[in-house]
Amino acid sequence: MPPEADPNTHRSDADRALLERARGLAGERAARSLRLSGAAALWLRAGDDPALMVLARPGDPVLDRFDGTVADGGDGLRLLVGGTTPGNAAALRAELPNLRPVPLGLATSAGFGDRLGLATPGHALALERTGAAGMVAPVFAQQSIREMTRTRRAPQEVVDDATWGAFAAGWRLPVGADADHQKTADDVRACLAAGFTLFTVDPGEHVDDAAERADAAELRARLERLPWRELEDDWEGLKRRLLGAPLDLGDRELAISEEELTRAAVKYGAAIAHTLSLYRVLAASGAPFELELSVDETAYPTTLPEHAYVAAELRRLGVAVVSLAPRFVGRFEKGVDFRPDATGDLATLAATLEGHTAIARSMGPYKLSLHSGSDKFSVYPLIAAATGGLVHLKTAGTSYLEALRVAAVHAPDLFRQVLAIGHERFEVDRKSYLIGARLEAVPRPGDLRDADLPGLLDDDGARQVLHVTFGSALDAVGAELKRLLRERDAAHEEGLARHFARHLEPFVPYAAQPPRPG
Ligand SMILES: [Zn+2]
């Protein structure tokens, strides 16, 4: 990892002695988390009983900033042992400001959704090994409201778990935090209070998919029902702005027909109004934030005229977006690679990615955001090249599957329980996810020898069944799974690092440098 200044340089003899003492106390595995703040050393005691450790001279005010018990630390020093509590997480972010999430701007970035709150060290390791650290800006804290509900995690826990994970990994660069798939003003307020800085607004419930097929009379009726007052607009004004001349997209022009504009406005008009209302909640908060607009979970691919309409409207209304997630052509199912369908194959995708990029560059600029981005290995080279690095990659469930891989190898009985729950719950839990798996093709726990269990994590059908039933599995055996991952933290990190290297490598040659802390 690109280090901050070597903590050993420009230090007094007394500081060097304190660091040496801290290294000795921390031990080899925890020493990577060791950071100096003022004249104090901080690290995370790893393993199954994690704790915040602070070594300082007697009377150092840092000892008052954390909750914990203070005892003799040897060499005339004091040692504080504190819990990984919300209060200590907040104090740690104040002490080590790079751990406090910030807006990441247009830097190439990647989101690492982590349902268990234990995957950040593995994600950090993947960034370091691929040379992506310092190139691809990480969003370690990222969870949708849907997933917070299913994992019973509060927004603050999501942010705090990522704080502890980044601290454990010795992460010294900026981090973002993505409140994903925000649907209501209440979602936004709860996540603002927790310190999220990227707000992914999902106005999908306000997207009118009927626009795709409606006839002229029906379109006309729906057009009249749009919330024109909230949009501060009317149909004549919209036509004047977007139909007068082809749009100049830099490397190309885009001419929009009246019918295309009508369908675009009917499909996305109310969604724009809803996005505007959430943007106003964010802007009124005074907190630093950036906004992503996601329409990836809608019924039909986003066409170029539709994207251009959305971009133009956002700009007219003063809604600055840092990234936008269209619904791309083809199938982006959870936890498996891209699949072609009637809407397009990889070649169609590559061509439309260039068009979407031209819009994002010339009408933003903002990044294209790739949702359901886990395991889309055939798409990464295409989107990295098409966007030239003006891209955000969003992953989530694939990290949970790597956690299950640890169970499949080291705790076969636990894994069999998770698989049995997957069979029981799949048909209910799959709702609201895009999934192609057929349950009957997935082996049952009794059909498999222990040695065959890890192989299920490489089977598309089994991956999807396990992927969508996480909430039910965690309700039943979440505590056991987390205990296992703490005991086997090295195996867990190694698996994540290997898996995420494949996600990150294609982006590194195109990655734009993220802003450095001042
Ligand atoms: Zn999404």
Side-chain angles (χ1 to χ4, degrees):
M1 142 154 351
E4 60 192 352
D6 180 341
N8 276 331
T9 55
H10 313 298
R11 287 280 171 175
S12 68
D13 288 348
D15 283 345
R16 271 195 289 274
L18 178 131
L19 250 186
E20 268 326 296
R21 176 82 193 133
R23 274 212 182 84
L25 289 169
E28 196 188 333
R29 187 151 173 77
R32 64 185 173 155
S33 67
L34 196 55
R35 303 277 299 270
L36 278 178
S37 180
L42 297 83
W43 72 95
L44 189 76
R45 185 174 74 196
D48 46 15
D49 185 22
L52 169 71
M53 313 293 282
V54 183
L55 187 69
R57 295 191 186 90
D60 190 320
V62 74
L63 295 167
D64 300 325
R65 289 185 211 128
F66 295 97
D67 286 328
T69 54
V70 181
D72 183 12
D75 293 350
L77 299 165
R78 306 294 287 163
L79 179 65
L80 178 141
V81 182
T84 51
T85 60
N88 280 346
L92 186 66
R93 288 188 290 266
E95 207 66 33
L96 304 173
N98 80 293
L99 297 179
R100 188 187 313 141
V102 289
L104 297 170
L106 295 178
T108 308
S109 50
F112 302 91
D114 172 15
R115 293 163 174 173
L116 292 160
L118 294 171
T120 297
H123 296 147
L125 193 58
L127 286 155
E128 286 161 27
R129 280 203 192 149
T130 53
M135 302 291 289
V136 176
V139 178
F140 293 132
Q142 172 211 298
Q143 202 156 44
S144 63
I145 295 294
R146 173 177 62 193
E147 293 210 348
M148 288 187 209
T149 306
R150 292 196 186 187
T151 55
R152 305 184 196 285
R153 293 170 91 203
Q156 193 67 61
E157 280 179 87
V158 176
V159 170
D160 289 353
D161 285 344
T163 296
W164 294 116
F167 179 50
W171 189 258
R172 286 161 162 77
L173 296 167
V175 296
D178 182 358
D180 200 9
H181 285 279
Q182 304 272 295
K183 301 198 172 183
T184 68
D186 284 344
D187 295 347
V188 166
R189 285 190 199 99
C191 291
L192 267 171
F196 282 91
T197 49
L198 171 59
F199 289 79
T200 298
V201 169
D202 174 359
E205 286 159 18
H206 304 268
V207 171
D208 185 352
D209 285 316
E212 192 83 11
R213 303 270 160 83
D215 62 22
E218 180 61 30
L219 277 177
R220 189 73 222 169
R222 284 174 189 256
L223 193 66
E224 275 165 22
R225 290 201 297 271
L226 283 185
W228 291 107
R229 211 158 54 97
E230 288 153 58
L231 292 168
E232 298 159 22
D233 198 18
D234 56 38
W235 175 231
E236 290 307 316
L238 181 60
K239 279 198 293 188
R240 235 183 351 263
R241 290 192 306 277
L242 289 181
L243 297 183
L247 298 177
D248 176 6
L249 304 182
D251 64 350
R252 69 193 70 201
E253 289 189 334
L254 179 68
I256 301 178
S257 72
E258 181 162 343
E259 189 194 332
E260 285 169 336
L261 182 62
T262 309
R263 285 193 198 279
V266 169
K267 187 171 175 185
Y268 290 114
I272 302 267
H274 184 66
T275 304
L276 175 64
S277 73
L278 295 191
Y279 177 81
R280 285 182 173 151
V281 173
L282 286 161
S285 75
F289 75 94
E290 52 196 359
L291 188 143
E292 171 169 313
L293 175 62
S294 75
V295 289
D296 62 301
E297 296 196 351
T298 50
Y300 301 100
T302 310
T303 65
L304 298 182
E306 288 167 355
H307 183 174
Y309 160 79
V310 169
E313 287 297 273
L314 291 173
R315 192 154 67 171
R316 177 178 65 84
L317 292 162
V319 179
V321 293
V322 74
S323 45
L324 187 144
R327 160 102 200 239
F328 293 116
V329 297
R331 280 178 80 81
F332 285 77
E333 294 186 15
K334 299 289 179 185
V336 300
D337 205 345
F338 174 86
R339 288 178 181 160
D341 68 6
T343 66
D345 57 12
L346 277 176
T348 328
L349 178 66
T352 53
L353 280 171
E354 287 182 8
H356 284 303
T357 298
I359 293 168
R361 267 188 197 290
S362 62
M363 302 180 76
Y366 49 80
K367 295 180 270 195
L368 284 188
S369 183
L370 180 63
H371 280 227
S372 299
S374 296
D375 307 287
K376 301 298 177 295
F377 301 114
S378 60
V379 174
Y380 304 147
L382 303 182
I383 197 165
T387 59
L390 196 62
V391 62
H392 178 68
L393 168 66
K394 197 172 296 209
T395 72
T398 203
S399 292
Y400 171 70
L401 294 175
E402 288 308 306
L404 294 187
R405 199 185 291 277
V406 177
V409 173
H410 296 288
D413 290 342
L414 177 60
F415 183 78
R416 282 177 203 282
Q417 280 176 268
V418 172
L419 181 59
I421 292 164
H423 274 275
E424 258 165 57
R425 295 287 308 177
F426 178 65
E427 293 304 340
V428 175
D429 291 352
R430 69 180 297 175
K431 295 198 175 78
S432 85
Y433 287 101
L434 181 64
I435 288 291
R438 289 177 314 112
L439 191 60
E440 37 318 343
V442 176
R444 293 183 172 273
D447 303 339
L448 295 160
R449 295 172 304 148
D450 283 0
D452 299 328
L453 297 177
L456 282 192
L457 276 318
D458 302 312
D459 174 90
D460 282 358
R463 287 179 70 80
Q464 294 200 321
V465 168
L466 295 167
H467 186 293
V468 296
T469 54
F470 64 93
S472 302
L474 293 181
D475 274 349
V477 296
E480 279 167 88
L481 183 59
K482 286 185 185 180
R483 201 176 315 122
L484 173 75
L485 296 173
R486 288 203 170 95
E487 281 164 20
R488 299 280 180 176
D489 59 344
H492 186 210
E493 268 175 47
E494 190 55 40
L496 285 163
R498 201 174 332 116
H499 189 58
F500 274 91
R502 295 179 63 203
H503 288 72
L504 293 167
E505 270 158 1
F507 292 91
V508 173
Y510 299 94
Q513 288 277 342
R516 301 256 173 182

